[in-house]
Amino acid sequence: MTSSPTPPPPSTGASDSRRPLRRLKARRRDEPHRVATPLELFFDLCFVVAVAQAGVQLVHSLAEGHAGEGVLNYAFVFFAIWWAWMNFTWFASAYDNDDALYRVVTLVQIAGVLVLAAGVSEAFTDHNYVVLWLGYVIMRLAMVAQWLRAAKDAEGAQRATALRYAGGILVCQVGWTVLVVVPDPARLWLYVLMAVAEMCVPAFAERARVTTWHPHHIAERYGLFTIIVLGETIAAATIAVKSGVGENHELGLLVPISAGGLLIVFSAWWIYFAVPIHGHLRSSKHAFLWGYGHYLIFSSAAAIGAGLEVAVEHAVGKAHISDLAAAAAVTLPTALFLLTVWALHSRHYKAGIAQQLVLPSTALLVICCTFLGSWAVLAAGIVSALSVVVAETLTAHRAVPAGR
């Protein structure tokens, strides 16, 4: 009697072959056990360095009373970070073969985001975008190299899609280069134009053929990045509280902010992961809208951390802004996070008007907390936590059959 052959181990997100170089072919969308690779996790961790730098500059702008300019600069810088991350994430979901060349090009992209992070402060303070642009060039040219390699190993419509992506990225990069040299008054409008152009590239490229991104893998990648950003929010708030305690400020001023901040972040995590969103990503139309909407989720989650730092600085007398402005630095990004998660995630899985109204109502109440002065952050945290309790109670009640 012959023994049965040993079944191959399940895929872990990287191909099982260990050859140094191989063809960069599209992966199957229905591939089982598709999970994030160690390289992708490392990629995310390095990108959060740039997110943290943008948050630091946002704190400085808000604490100095330049909220409008600070938020605008933050939105611009965060778009560059988020878009480069998103391009790699969707490409990797369809084409990651984890060979040596793929890894090297990805590490080049990581180097680019670190250069970009080094230029964030100059972009905020002096409107000098040269270093920011250089980091973006490195990331984007590496992305073009990935697409050209995919095109080389593809045929027909699949090859056309890869070439369209590579060409679209190169054309947009020319526009970003122009942005560096034009006068300040024209930059705002050119930036908006270029951002729209960038977001049109996937729609243009995938008219030839849709890439084989993996719904479960994409949902996991976005979820992991959300966790990392929320972790950075906690780290930023912790450093701010530690600074306040170290300078012998009254602990009673900081406890409500710390407790409220923790409740907000814990609630944000719970609310984001309350539903298995991968089942909603059935088509490119649904998935792209969901993916684009995460610009607001990621940026607002990171801004919560910046707002908590501002609230601490205001409490200890470092930020000379009003109570209302300090509270709004936390409550407004929290409300934006709640509304965006509801729009992209929760509403697709809620049944009945009561369940649908939980997050929008919570967002409204969090905004109302802005007017509670030094207790605003704690109140916003309590409201956020109560929304989790209410949502879980409604879900449990609906799951119990009538008469039991």
Side-chain angles (χ1 to χ4, degrees):
M1 181 176 178
T2 59
S3 60
S4 301
T6 303
S11 170
T12 59
S15 177
D16 296 325
S17 174
R18 295 303 175 199
R19 287 175 292 164
L21 292 177
R22 53 185 176 271
R23 296 182 67 188
L24 192 64
K25 299 188 68 175
R27 302 181 65 153
R28 299 197 335 263
R29 181 170 288 190
D30 61 348
E31 183 180 337
H33 309 294
R34 182 77 164 95
V35 296
T37 66
L39 181 60
E40 288 174 319
L41 299 177
F42 183 48
F43 186 89
D44 290 357
L45 186 63
C46 293
F47 259 70
V48 171
V49 173
V51 172
Q53 289 299 310
V56 167
Q57 297 304 317
L58 179 60
V59 170
H60 292 163
S61 297
L62 295 177
E64 293 170 3
H66 307 304
E69 181 182 6
V71 170
L72 191 61
N73 287 334
Y74 176 77
F76 285 173
V77 170
F78 202 97
F79 177 86
I81 299 168
W82 162 78
W83 187 249
W85 177 87
M86 198 172 90
N87 275 209
F88 169 79
T89 296
W90 288 80
F91 174 86
S93 187
Y95 287 98
D96 179 10
N97 69 354
D98 200 36
D99 69 359
L101 183 56
Y102 177 88
R103 289 185 174 191
V104 169
V105 176
T106 301
L107 293 175
V108 170
Q109 290 178 270
I110 291 174
V113 77
L114 297 178
V115 173
L116 183 146
V120 168
S121 60
E122 287 189 353
F124 266 79
T125 57
D126 303 326
H127 294 176
N128 183 348
Y129 297 95
V130 174
V131 178
L132 204 74
W133 168 83
L134 178 60
Y136 206 61
V137 167
I138 295 171
M139 288 188 292
R140 304 298 276 158
L141 291 183
M143 193 74 257
V144 169
Q146 296 277 41
W147 279 115
L148 290 177
R149 187 183 176 204
K152 176 178 176 293
D153 294 331
E155 297 177 353
Q158 191 176 85
R159 184 172 187 270
T161 294
L163 290 175
R164 286 184 177 190
Y165 266 112
I169 293 171
L170 286 174
V171 170
C172 288
Q173 192 56 51
V174 173
W176 292 120
T177 303
V178 174
L179 184 71
V180 177
V181 299
V182 297
D184 276 349
R187 280 180 177 167
L188 172 60
W189 301 109
L190 182 57
Y191 196 106
V192 173
L193 177 64
M194 290 312 306
V196 172
E198 285 275 12
M199 290 188 289
C200 288
V201 169
F204 164 71
E206 304 219 0
R207 289 180 63 184
R209 182 173 179 176
V210 176
T211 52
T212 56
W213 49 269
H214 194 289
H216 193 283
H217 177 248
I218 286 292
E220 182 190 32
R221 295 286 288 110
Y222 274 74
L224 290 172
F225 198 70
T226 301
I227 290 174
I228 294 175
V229 172
L230 289 174
E232 172 59 31
T233 294
I234 290 180
T238 301
I239 292 172
V241 172
K242 180 181 177 182
S243 175
V245 172
E247 295 177 10
N248 297 321
H249 291 289
E250 186 179 344
L251 191 59
L253 297 173
L254 304 179
V255 168
I257 298 174
S258 302
L262 280 178
L263 287 174
I264 289 172
V265 174
F266 291 168
S267 300
W269 171 85
W270 193 299
I271 290 166
Y272 184 91
F273 291 99
V275 296
I277 195 59
H278 65 270
H280 174 66
L281 309 181
R282 296 183 297 272
S283 67
S284 291
K285 179 181 178 182
H286 289 108
F288 282 178
L289 180 62
W290 177 86
Y292 285 3
H294 269 72
Y295 168 72
L296 295 177
I297 289 181
F298 292 156
S299 60
S300 60
I304 291 171
L308 290 171
E309 287 193 67
V310 171
V312 169
E313 291 192 5
H314 174 69
V316 300
K318 289 184 178 180
H320 302 292
I321 55 178
S322 66
D323 291 347
L324 187 66
V330 178
T331 58
L332 294 186
T334 300
L336 179 60
F337 180 91
L338 294 171
L339 281 175
T340 310
V341 171
W342 171 78
L344 297 179
H345 281 233
S346 304
R347 68 184 180 88
H348 302 294
Y349 293 88
K350 300 298 183 183
I353 190 66
Q355 289 190 8
Q356 288 288 2
L357 284 177
V358 171
L359 286 183
S361 300
T362 302
L364 179 60
L365 289 174
V366 166
I367 293 174
C368 293
C369 291
T370 307
F371 303 96
L372 297 181
S374 60
W375 296 99
V377 177
L378 180 59
I382 293 172
V383 168
S384 300
L386 286 175
S387 75
V388 173
V389 174
V390 171
E392 290 295 318
T393 302
L394 290 173
T395 301
H397 178 74
R398 193 173 186 87
V400 175
R404 296 188 64 180

